PDB file of all heavy atoms in Angstrom:
ATOM      1  N   PRO A 274       0.817  -1.210   0.000  1.00 92.00           N
ATOM      2  CA  PRO A 274       0.000   0.000   0.000  1.00 92.00           C
ATOM      3  C   PRO A 274       0.854   1.265   0.000  1.00 92.00           C
ATOM      4  O   PRO A 274       1.780   1.397   0.807  1.00 92.00           O
ATOM      5  CB  PRO A 274      -0.794  -0.125   1.297  1.00 92.00           C
ATOM      6  CG  PRO A 274      -0.845  -1.587   1.571  1.00 92.00           C
ATOM      7  CD  PRO A 274       0.452  -2.134   1.076  1.00 92.00           C
ATOM      8  N   GLY A 275       0.564   2.152  -0.929  1.00 94.00           N
ATOM      9  CA  GLY A 275       1.270   3.421  -0.992  1.00 94.00           C
ATOM     10  C   GLY A 275       2.672   3.351  -1.575  1.00 94.00           C
ATOM     11  O   GLY A 275       3.408   4.345  -1.547  1.00 94.00           O
ATOM     12  N   LYS A 276       3.044   2.190  -2.105  1.00 96.00           N
ATOM     13  CA  LYS A 276       4.396   2.029  -2.654  1.00 96.00           C
ATOM     14  C   LYS A 276       4.345   1.611  -4.109  1.00 96.00           C
ATOM     15  O   LYS A 276       3.332   1.140  -4.608  1.00 96.00           O
ATOM     16  CB  LYS A 276       5.178   1.003  -1.827  1.00 96.00           C
ATOM     17  CG  LYS A 276       5.448   1.438  -0.402  1.00 96.00           C
ATOM     18  CD  LYS A 276       6.405   0.469   0.283  1.00 96.00           C
ATOM     19  CE  LYS A 276       6.754   0.952   1.678  1.00 96.00           C
ATOM     20  NZ  LYS A 276       7.711   0.013   2.350  1.00 96.00           N
ATOM     21  N   GLN A 277       5.475   1.766  -4.750  1.00 97.00           N
ATOM     22  CA  GLN A 277       5.604   1.332  -6.137  1.00 97.00           C
ATOM     23  C   GLN A 277       5.708  -0.183  -6.198  1.00 97.00           C
ATOM     24  O   GLN A 277       6.151  -0.840  -5.253  1.00 97.00           O
ATOM     25  CB  GLN A 277       6.881   1.928  -6.757  1.00 97.00           C
ATOM     26  CG  GLN A 277       6.904   3.435  -6.816  1.00 97.00           C
ATOM     27  CD  GLN A 277       6.355   3.970  -8.122  1.00 97.00           C
ATOM     28  OE1 GLN A 277       5.519   3.343  -8.764  1.00 97.00           O
ATOM     29  NE2 GLN A 277       6.822   5.132  -8.520  1.00 97.00           N
ATOM     30  N   ARG A 278       5.297  -0.740  -7.313  1.00 97.00           N
ATOM     31  CA  ARG A 278       5.479  -2.164  -7.529  1.00 97.00           C
ATOM     32  C   ARG A 278       6.969  -2.471  -7.609  1.00 97.00           C
ATOM     33  O   ARG A 278       7.724  -1.727  -8.239  1.00 97.00           O
ATOM     34  CB  ARG A 278       4.784  -2.595  -8.812  1.00 97.00           C
ATOM     35  CG  ARG A 278       4.741  -4.087  -9.055  1.00 97.00           C
ATOM     36  CD  ARG A 278       3.906  -4.396 -10.288  1.00 97.00           C
ATOM     37  NE  ARG A 278       2.491  -4.124 -10.050  1.00 97.00           N
ATOM     38  CZ  ARG A 278       1.584  -4.057 -11.025  1.00 97.00           C
ATOM     39  NH1 ARG A 278       1.956  -4.222 -12.281  1.00 97.00           N
ATOM     40  NH2 ARG A 278       0.327  -3.813 -10.734  1.00 97.00           N
ATOM     41  N   GLU A 279       7.390  -3.546  -6.965  1.00 98.00           N
ATOM     42  CA  GLU A 279       8.804  -3.906  -6.952  1.00 98.00           C
ATOM     43  C   GLU A 279       8.992  -5.356  -7.366  1.00 98.00           C
ATOM     44  O   GLU A 279       8.122  -6.197  -7.185  1.00 98.00           O
ATOM     45  CB  GLU A 279       9.422  -3.687  -5.561  1.00 98.00           C
ATOM     46  CG  GLU A 279       8.845  -4.568  -4.470  1.00 98.00           C
ATOM     47  CD  GLU A 279       9.587  -4.429  -3.145  1.00 98.00           C
ATOM     48  OE1 GLU A 279      10.668  -3.819  -3.103  1.00 98.00           O
ATOM     49  OE2 GLU A 279       9.064  -4.949  -2.140  1.00 98.00           O
ATOM     50  N   LEU A 280      10.161  -5.625  -7.890  1.00 98.00           N
ATOM     51  CA  LEU A 280      10.521  -6.977  -8.312  1.00 98.00           C
ATOM     52  C   LEU A 280      11.004  -7.762  -7.106  1.00 98.00           C
ATOM     53  O   LEU A 280      11.849  -7.288  -6.346  1.00 98.00           O
ATOM     54  CB  LEU A 280      11.617  -6.903  -9.377  1.00 98.00           C
ATOM     55  CG  LEU A 280      12.164  -8.216  -9.912  1.00 98.00           C
ATOM     56  CD1 LEU A 280      11.086  -8.982 -10.661  1.00 98.00           C
ATOM     57  CD2 LEU A 280      13.369  -7.948 -10.816  1.00 98.00           C
ATOM     58  N   VAL A 281      10.472  -8.967  -6.948  1.00 98.00           N
ATOM     59  CA  VAL A 281      10.820  -9.806  -5.800  1.00 98.00           C
ATOM     60  C   VAL A 281      11.761 -10.936  -6.204  1.00 98.00           C
ATOM     61  O   VAL A 281      12.747 -11.206  -5.513  1.00 98.00           O
ATOM     62  CB  VAL A 281       9.542 -10.392  -5.172  1.00 98.00           C
ATOM     63  CG1 VAL A 281       9.894 -11.379  -4.055  1.00 98.00           C
ATOM     64  CG2 VAL A 281       8.642  -9.287  -4.655  1.00 98.00           C
ATOM     65  N   ALA A 282      11.444 -11.581  -7.317  1.00 98.00           N
ATOM     66  CA  ALA A 282      12.229 -12.749  -7.723  1.00 98.00           C
ATOM     67  C   ALA A 282      12.053 -12.982  -9.209  1.00 98.00           C
ATOM     68  O   ALA A 282      11.004 -12.666  -9.776  1.00 98.00           O
ATOM     69  CB  ALA A 282      11.775 -13.990  -6.950  1.00 98.00           C
ATOM     70  N   THR A 283      13.090 -13.536  -9.823  1.00 98.00           N
ATOM     71  CA  THR A 283      13.025 -13.909 -11.232  1.00 98.00           C
ATOM     72  C   THR A 283      13.558 -15.314 -11.420  1.00 98.00           C
ATOM     73  O   THR A 283      14.354 -15.813 -10.597  1.00 98.00           O
ATOM     74  CB  THR A 283      13.837 -12.949 -12.118  1.00 98.00           C
ATOM     75  OG1 THR A 283      15.214 -13.025 -11.740  1.00 98.00           O
ATOM     76  CG2 THR A 283      13.345 -11.516 -11.995  1.00 98.00           C
ATOM     77  N   ILE A 284      13.134 -15.929 -12.493  1.00 98.00           N
ATOM     78  CA  ILE A 284      13.661 -17.239 -12.855  1.00 98.00           C
ATOM     79  C   ILE A 284      13.749 -17.301 -14.371  1.00 98.00           C
ATOM     80  O   ILE A 284      12.795 -16.960 -15.077  1.00 98.00           O
ATOM     81  CB  ILE A 284      12.796 -18.384 -12.266  1.00 98.00           C
ATOM     82  CG1 ILE A 284      13.451 -19.739 -12.528  1.00 98.00           C
ATOM     83  CG2 ILE A 284      11.365 -18.336 -12.780  1.00 98.00           C
ATOM     84  CD1 ILE A 284      12.882 -20.867 -11.682  1.00 98.00           C
ATOM     85  N   THR A 285      14.899 -17.706 -14.874  1.00 97.00           N
ATOM     86  CA  THR A 285      15.096 -17.767 -16.323  1.00 97.00           C
ATOM     87  C   THR A 285      14.397 -18.996 -16.894  1.00 97.00           C
ATOM     88  O   THR A 285      13.900 -19.864 -16.160  1.00 97.00           O
ATOM     89  CB  THR A 285      16.580 -17.834 -16.661  1.00 97.00           C
ATOM     90  OG1 THR A 285      17.103 -19.094 -16.196  1.00 97.00           O
ATOM     91  CG2 THR A 285      17.356 -16.689 -16.035  1.00 97.00           C
ATOM     92  N   SER A 286      14.391 -19.082 -18.213  1.00 95.00           N
ATOM     93  CA  SER A 286      13.790 -20.243 -18.867  1.00 95.00           C
ATOM     94  C   SER A 286      14.543 -21.520 -18.507  1.00 95.00           C
ATOM     95  O   SER A 286      13.976 -22.610 -18.531  1.00 95.00           O
ATOM     96  CB  SER A 286      13.776 -20.045 -20.381  1.00 95.00           C
ATOM     97  OG  SER A 286      15.077 -19.815 -20.862  1.00 95.00           O
ATOM     98  N   ASP A 287      15.806 -21.373 -18.134  1.00 95.00           N
ATOM     99  CA  ASP A 287      16.627 -22.525 -17.747  1.00 95.00           C
ATOM    100  C   ASP A 287      16.552 -22.842 -16.262  1.00 95.00           C
ATOM    101  O   ASP A 287      17.196 -23.774 -15.793  1.00 95.00           O
ATOM    102  CB  ASP A 287      18.096 -22.279 -18.115  1.00 95.00           C
ATOM    103  CG  ASP A 287      18.310 -22.203 -19.604  1.00 95.00           C
ATOM    104  OD1 ASP A 287      17.503 -22.805 -20.339  1.00 95.00           O
ATOM    105  OD2 ASP A 287      19.270 -21.536 -20.040  1.00 95.00           O
ATOM    106  N   GLY A 288      15.790 -22.022 -15.516  1.00 95.00           N
ATOM    107  CA  GLY A 288      15.625 -22.290 -14.097  1.00 95.00           C
ATOM    108  C   GLY A 288      16.590 -21.581 -13.177  1.00 95.00           C
ATOM    109  O   GLY A 288      16.653 -21.884 -11.979  1.00 95.00           O
ATOM    110  N   LEU A 289      17.324 -20.619 -13.689  1.00 97.00           N
ATOM    111  CA  LEU A 289      18.256 -19.857 -12.854  1.00 97.00           C
ATOM    112  C   LEU A 289      17.473 -18.774 -12.114  1.00 97.00           C
ATOM    113  O   LEU A 289      16.827 -17.943 -12.733  1.00 97.00           O
ATOM    114  CB  LEU A 289      19.355 -19.231 -13.710  1.00 97.00           C
ATOM    115  CG  LEU A 289      20.435 -18.474 -12.954  1.00 97.00           C
ATOM    116  CD1 LEU A 289      21.222 -19.419 -12.048  1.00 97.00           C
ATOM    117  CD2 LEU A 289      21.378 -17.779 -13.936  1.00 97.00           C
ATOM    118  N   ALA A 290      17.571 -18.813 -10.793  1.00 98.00           N
ATOM    119  CA  ALA A 290      16.774 -17.915  -9.963  1.00 98.00           C
ATOM    120  C   ALA A 290      17.592 -16.757  -9.426  1.00 98.00           C
ATOM    121  O   ALA A 290      18.802 -16.877  -9.207  1.00 98.00           O
ATOM    122  CB  ALA A 290      16.164 -18.690  -8.802  1.00 98.00           C
ATOM    123  N   ASN A 291      16.900 -15.655  -9.221  1.00 98.00           N
ATOM    124  CA  ASN A 291      17.511 -14.495  -8.592  1.00 98.00           C
ATOM    125  C   ASN A 291      16.473 -13.862  -7.684  1.00 98.00           C
ATOM    126  O   ASN A 291      15.288 -13.779  -8.048  1.00 98.00           O
ATOM    127  CB  ASN A 291      17.982 -13.481  -9.649  1.00 98.00           C
ATOM    128  CG  ASN A 291      18.885 -12.434  -9.047  1.00 98.00           C
ATOM    129  OD1 ASN A 291      19.680 -12.723  -8.148  1.00 98.00           O
ATOM    130  ND2 ASN A 291      18.776 -11.213  -9.513  1.00 98.00           N
ATOM    131  N   LEU A 292      16.909 -13.449  -6.508  1.00 98.00           N
ATOM    132  CA  LEU A 292      15.982 -12.920  -5.511  1.00 98.00           C
ATOM    133  C   LEU A 292      16.425 -11.545  -5.051  1.00 98.00           C
ATOM    134  O   LEU A 292      17.621 -11.252  -4.966  1.00 98.00           O
ATOM    135  CB  LEU A 292      15.927 -13.856  -4.304  1.00 98.00           C
ATOM    136  CG  LEU A 292      15.404 -15.266  -4.570  1.00 98.00           C
ATOM    137  CD1 LEU A 292      15.797 -16.207  -3.460  1.00 98.00           C
ATOM    138  CD2 LEU A 292      13.911 -15.238  -4.735  1.00 98.00           C
ATOM    139  N   ALA A 293      15.459 -10.713  -4.732  1.00 98.00           N
ATOM    140  CA  ALA A 293      15.760  -9.419  -4.143  1.00 98.00           C
ATOM    141  C   ALA A 293      16.415  -9.625  -2.780  1.00 98.00           C
ATOM    142  O   ALA A 293      16.124 -10.603  -2.085  1.00 98.00           O
ATOM    143  CB  ALA A 293      14.484  -8.599  -3.998  1.00 98.00           C
ATOM    144  N   ASP A 294      17.279  -8.710  -2.399  1.00 98.00           N
ATOM    145  CA  ASP A 294      17.985  -8.844  -1.126  1.00 98.00           C
ATOM    146  C   ASP A 294      17.021  -8.958   0.055  1.00 98.00           C
ATOM    147  O   ASP A 294      17.309  -9.664   1.028  1.00 98.00           O
ATOM    148  CB  ASP A 294      18.912  -7.635  -0.913  1.00 98.00           C
ATOM    149  CG  ASP A 294      20.123  -7.683  -1.824  1.00 98.00           C
ATOM    150  OD1 ASP A 294      20.416  -8.756  -2.396  1.00 98.00           O
ATOM    151  OD2 ASP A 294      20.785  -6.635  -1.975  1.00 98.00           O
ATOM    152  N   SER A 295      15.894  -8.291  -0.043  1.00 97.00           N
ATOM    153  CA  SER A 295      14.942  -8.265   1.071  1.00 97.00           C
ATOM    154  C   SER A 295      14.299  -9.621   1.331  1.00 97.00           C
ATOM    155  O   SER A 295      13.739  -9.847   2.415  1.00 97.00           O
ATOM    156  CB  SER A 295      13.859  -7.221   0.804  1.00 97.00           C
ATOM    157  OG  SER A 295      13.172  -7.525  -0.390  1.00 97.00           O
ATOM    158  N   VAL A 296      14.350 -10.522   0.357  1.00 98.00           N
ATOM    159  CA  VAL A 296      13.700 -11.824   0.528  1.00 98.00           C
ATOM    160  C   VAL A 296      14.683 -12.990   0.399  1.00 98.00           C
ATOM    161  O   VAL A 296      14.290 -14.146   0.568  1.00 98.00           O
ATOM    162  CB  VAL A 296      12.543 -12.013  -0.480  1.00 98.00           C
ATOM    163  CG1 VAL A 296      11.544 -10.869  -0.358  1.00 98.00           C
ATOM    164  CG2 VAL A 296      13.055 -12.145  -1.911  1.00 98.00           C
ATOM    165  N   LYS A 297      15.920 -12.681   0.129  1.00 98.00           N
ATOM    166  CA  LYS A 297      16.920 -13.736  -0.040  1.00 98.00           C
ATOM    167  C   LYS A 297      17.024 -14.562   1.235  1.00 98.00           C
ATOM    168  O   LYS A 297      17.057 -14.023   2.338  1.00 98.00           O
ATOM    169  CB  LYS A 297      18.266 -13.082  -0.388  1.00 98.00           C
ATOM    170  CG  LYS A 297      19.130 -13.867  -1.338  1.00 98.00           C
ATOM    171  CD  LYS A 297      20.288 -13.021  -1.859  1.00 98.00           C
ATOM    172  CE  LYS A 297      19.916 -12.259  -3.093  1.00 98.00           C
ATOM    173  NZ  LYS A 297      21.056 -11.556  -3.720  1.00 98.00           N
ATOM    174  N   GLY A 298      17.055 -15.877   1.056  1.00 97.00           N
ATOM    175  CA  GLY A 298      17.140 -16.766   2.209  1.00 97.00           C
ATOM    176  C   GLY A 298      15.792 -17.132   2.799  1.00 97.00           C
ATOM    177  O   GLY A 298      15.692 -18.032   3.635  1.00 97.00           O
ATOM    178  N   ARG A 299      14.739 -16.429   2.355  1.00 98.00           N
ATOM    179  CA  ARG A 299      13.393 -16.717   2.862  1.00 98.00           C
ATOM    180  C   ARG A 299      12.446 -17.185   1.759  1.00 98.00           C
ATOM    181  O   ARG A 299      11.563 -18.008   2.016  1.00 98.00           O
ATOM    182  CB  ARG A 299      12.803 -15.465   3.531  1.00 98.00           C
ATOM    183  CG  ARG A 299      13.628 -14.935   4.684  1.00 98.00           C
ATOM    184  CD  ARG A 299      12.904 -13.817   5.425  1.00 98.00           C
ATOM    185  NE  ARG A 299      12.676 -12.644   4.586  1.00 98.00           N
ATOM    186  CZ  ARG A 299      11.475 -12.140   4.319  1.00 98.00           C
ATOM    187  NH1 ARG A 299      10.387 -12.695   4.812  1.00 98.00           N
ATOM    188  NH2 ARG A 299      11.357 -11.055   3.546  1.00 98.00           N
ATOM    189  N   PHE A 300      12.597 -16.641   0.563  1.00 98.00           N
ATOM    190  CA  PHE A 300      11.719 -16.970  -0.572  1.00 98.00           C
ATOM    191  C   PHE A 300      12.472 -17.830  -1.577  1.00 98.00           C
ATOM    192  O   PHE A 300      13.685 -17.719  -1.742  1.00 98.00           O
ATOM    193  CB  PHE A 300      11.248 -15.697  -1.274  1.00 98.00           C
ATOM    194  CG  PHE A 300      10.282 -14.838  -0.499  1.00 98.00           C
ATOM    195  CD1 PHE A 300      10.026 -15.051   0.845  1.00 98.00           C
ATOM    196  CD2 PHE A 300       9.640 -13.791  -1.142  1.00 98.00           C
ATOM    197  CE1 PHE A 300       9.143 -14.245   1.544  1.00 98.00           C
ATOM    198  CE2 PHE A 300       8.739 -12.977  -0.455  1.00 98.00           C
ATOM    199  CZ  PHE A 300       8.506 -13.207   0.891  1.00 98.00           C
ATOM    200  N   THR A 301      11.708 -18.660  -2.270  1.00 98.00           N
ATOM    201  CA  THR A 301      12.245 -19.481  -3.352  1.00 98.00           C
ATOM    202  C   THR A 301      11.293 -19.400  -4.539  1.00 98.00           C
ATOM    203  O   THR A 301      10.078 -19.542  -4.367  1.00 98.00           O
ATOM    204  CB  THR A 301      12.382 -20.948  -2.916  1.00 98.00           C
ATOM    205  OG1 THR A 301      13.200 -21.036  -1.752  1.00 98.00           O
ATOM    206  CG2 THR A 301      13.004 -21.780  -4.024  1.00 98.00           C
ATOM    207  N   ILE A 302      11.840 -19.189  -5.724  1.00 98.00           N
ATOM    208  CA  ILE A 302      11.038 -19.179  -6.938  1.00 98.00           C
ATOM    209  C   ILE A 302      11.334 -20.439  -7.728  1.00 98.00           C
ATOM    210  O   ILE A 302      12.478 -20.907  -7.770  1.00 98.00           O
ATOM    211  CB  ILE A 302      11.310 -17.906  -7.780  1.00 98.00           C
ATOM    212  CG1 ILE A 302      10.364 -17.831  -8.983  1.00 98.00           C
ATOM    213  CG2 ILE A 302      12.769 -17.824  -8.203  1.00 98.00           C
ATOM    214  CD1 ILE A 302      10.439 -16.496  -9.727  1.00 98.00           C
ATOM    215  N   SER A 303      10.304 -21.006  -8.333  1.00 97.00           N
ATOM    216  CA  SER A 303      10.483 -22.199  -9.159  1.00 97.00           C
ATOM    217  C   SER A 303       9.435 -22.176 -10.268  1.00 97.00           C
ATOM    218  O   SER A 303       8.508 -21.364 -10.247  1.00 97.00           O
ATOM    219  CB  SER A 303      10.350 -23.467  -8.320  1.00 97.00           C
ATOM    220  OG  SER A 303       9.064 -23.553  -7.732  1.00 97.00           O
ATOM    221  N   ARG A 304       9.609 -23.072 -11.231  1.00 97.00           N
ATOM    222  CA  ARG A 304       8.675 -23.123 -12.343  1.00 97.00           C
ATOM    223  C   ARG A 304       8.457 -24.561 -12.784  1.00 97.00           C
ATOM    224  O   ARG A 304       9.337 -25.409 -12.629  1.00 97.00           O
ATOM    225  CB  ARG A 304       9.172 -22.273 -13.513  1.00 97.00           C
ATOM    226  CG  ARG A 304      10.463 -22.723 -14.129  1.00 97.00           C
ATOM    227  CD  ARG A 304      11.021 -21.657 -15.097  1.00 97.00           C
ATOM    228  NE  ARG A 304      10.144 -21.481 -16.242  1.00 97.00           N
ATOM    229  CZ  ARG A 304      10.175 -20.394 -17.031  1.00 97.00           C
ATOM    230  NH1 ARG A 304      11.021 -19.417 -16.775  1.00 97.00           N
ATOM    231  NH2 ARG A 304       9.364 -20.310 -18.061  1.00 97.00           N
ATOM    232  N   ASP A 305       7.278 -24.810 -13.342  1.00 96.00           N
ATOM    233  CA  ASP A 305       6.927 -26.123 -13.875  1.00 96.00           C
ATOM    234  C   ASP A 305       6.470 -25.918 -15.312  1.00 96.00           C
ATOM    235  O   ASP A 305       5.366 -25.427 -15.561  1.00 96.00           O
ATOM    236  CB  ASP A 305       5.818 -26.742 -13.023  1.00 96.00           C
ATOM    237  CG  ASP A 305       5.470 -28.156 -13.442  1.00 96.00           C
ATOM    238  OD1 ASP A 305       5.719 -28.521 -14.615  1.00 96.00           O
ATOM    239  OD2 ASP A 305       4.925 -28.905 -12.624  1.00 96.00           O
TER     240      ASP A 305
END
């Protein structure tokens, strides 16, 4: 609320993940 949309996590087509510092170690992104 009241903030800009921000990027949290990405995953490439090959499954390489990257996480924002604020969620690193707590969030995991995956794809099927």
Side-chain angles (χ1 to χ4, degrees):
K276 295 189 176 181
Q277 298 268 28
R278 188 174 291 166
E279 64 174 349
L280 178 65
V281 175
T283 63
I284 186 165
T285 67
S286 57
D287 294 334
L289 183 64
N291 193 36
L292 297 162
D294 287 344
S295 59
V296 304
K297 215 168 272 187
R299 301 188 296 121
F300 291 11
T301 303
I302 186 171
S303 61
R304 63 191 295 161
D305 185 336

